[in-house]
Amino acid sequence: MRIGLASFLATTISLLWAPAALGITLSNIDVVGIQGADKDLVRSTTRLVIGNQYEARDPAFVSACRLVREQYPRASVSCNLIARANNEATYAIAFSASGYTPRYAGTCVDGKGIPEALNRDIEAFERARQSVFDETGGRSGREFVGMDGSLDYQDPRLHEARNKLASAVAEERAAVLDAAKRCNPDIKVKALELLQYAGAPKAAVETAMPEATHPDPAVRNISMRLLETFAGSLDSASTEHVLHIACDAVQRGGFLDVNKALAVIDALEAKAGMQALKIDAACRAEIVRLSAESDSPQIGGFANSIIRQRKDKGAPT
C-alpha cells in the first residue's frame, strides 16, 4: 500500500497505513459505539481471526465490514484498519445512529490545483516516507513542529526530504493557500496536506477551521490534523470554536472523526497549560466512556491523556 500526500480513504473501508510488502498480524478488533455483549457478536460477525496474518488489501477486511452492515442495517458503520508497531494492526468498527454530516460553513471556488512545479518535490517526499515506513514497520520516529513552523520528523531521511519539500512549498505558499479554497475535494486535501510544510502555522489553522466540518471525510481528516499539529497557533476565540467542532465529532462521528477530534482536544488541553478547557458535560462524559470502552490505542490513548491532563489541573472529567 502506498503512503502518499493524497487521501487514501476508501468508501467502504479506510486503511490507515499498512506495509507495502509485508503481511500484517491482526492484534485486535476494536468496536466503538455499541454496548456490552454486542461487541463480541460484532467481532464474530466479521469472521476475522485475531492473531492471523493478512495482506493490507485483503478482501477479508472489506467482507468483514459488509457482514457487520448486513447484521446492523439501521446503523451507520465505518471500518478502519489501523497500523500498530511490529507489523500489527487493529481493525476498528465504529457505529453511529446515522451518518455523521456536520454543518459546513465554508465556501469554495473553482480554479487551478497545486502548482505543477511542486509535484516533483511531493513525489520525492512520498518515496522517502514510503521507504522509511516499509523499513521500520510504521515506526518512523517522533513528529514535531520545527523552528520554521513546519511539521518535521526525527528520522534523518524524512527530515532531509521534508526540508526540500518545505522549501518548495514556502515558495509557492500563496498558490497552495489558494488551492485549499477549491471545490474539488481532491485538490483541497492535497493543498491542506502541503500546509503542514508551508511554514505558516497561523494561516494553516485559519484555513483548516472551516474545512473541519466539510462533507468529505478526507477533507475533515486532514483539517483536524492541521488543527492538532498547530494548536499552539490558535487564539482563544478560535480555540473555543475548534473545541466545539471537536466535541460534536466526538459525540456523533465515526472512528476517524472521533480519533482526530480527540487528538485535537488533547492538543488543546496541553496548549491551555494549567487553565483547563471548558469542555461541556456531555462531551466529557463521552470522553470518559471512550476511555473505558475503547481498545484502540488511538482513541483510548487520546481519551486517557485528556482525562489525565484534566485531573492534574483539578478540572472535572
Side-chain angles (χ1 to χ4, degrees), residues 45-112:
T45 299
T46 66
R47 300 181 185 172
L48 297 171
V49 180
I50 293 174
N52 275 12
Q53 280 208 333
Y54 296 87
E55 295 298 321
R57 291 291 188 182
D58 199 308
F61 294 126
V62 176
S63 175
C65 202
R66 176 180 56 78
L67 289 169
V68 173
R69 286 173 173 165
E70 290 173 355
Q71 182 74 21
Y72 297 88
R74 295 186 179 181
S76 175
V77 179
S78 62
C79 307
N80 306 273
L81 184 63
I82 302 181
R84 302 180 70 172
N86 302 319
N87 291 327
E88 295 184 353
T90 291
Y91 191 74
I93 305 168
F95 285 78
S96 57
S98 59
Y100 173 60
T101 308
R103 180 176 294 180
Y104 181 53
T107 59
C108 67
V109 294
D110 292 320
K112 296 180 180 179

Side-chain angles (χ1 to χ4, degrees), residues 267-277 309-310 312-313:
L268 292 177
E269 194 71 75
K271 166 184 174 288
M274 291 310 297
Q275 183 176 357
L277 292 177
Q309 288 193 72
R310 294 184 65 80
D312 289 345
K313 299 176 185 182

Side-chain angles (χ1 to χ4, degrees), residues 258-285:
V258 172
N259 183 44
K260 289 298 183 184
L262 287 172
V264 168
I265 296 172
D266 188 41
L268 292 177
E269 194 71 75
K271 166 184 174 288
M274 291 310 297
Q275 183 176 357
L277 292 177
K278 296 179 180 178
I279 305 176
D280 66 61
C283 185
R284 295 200 311 269

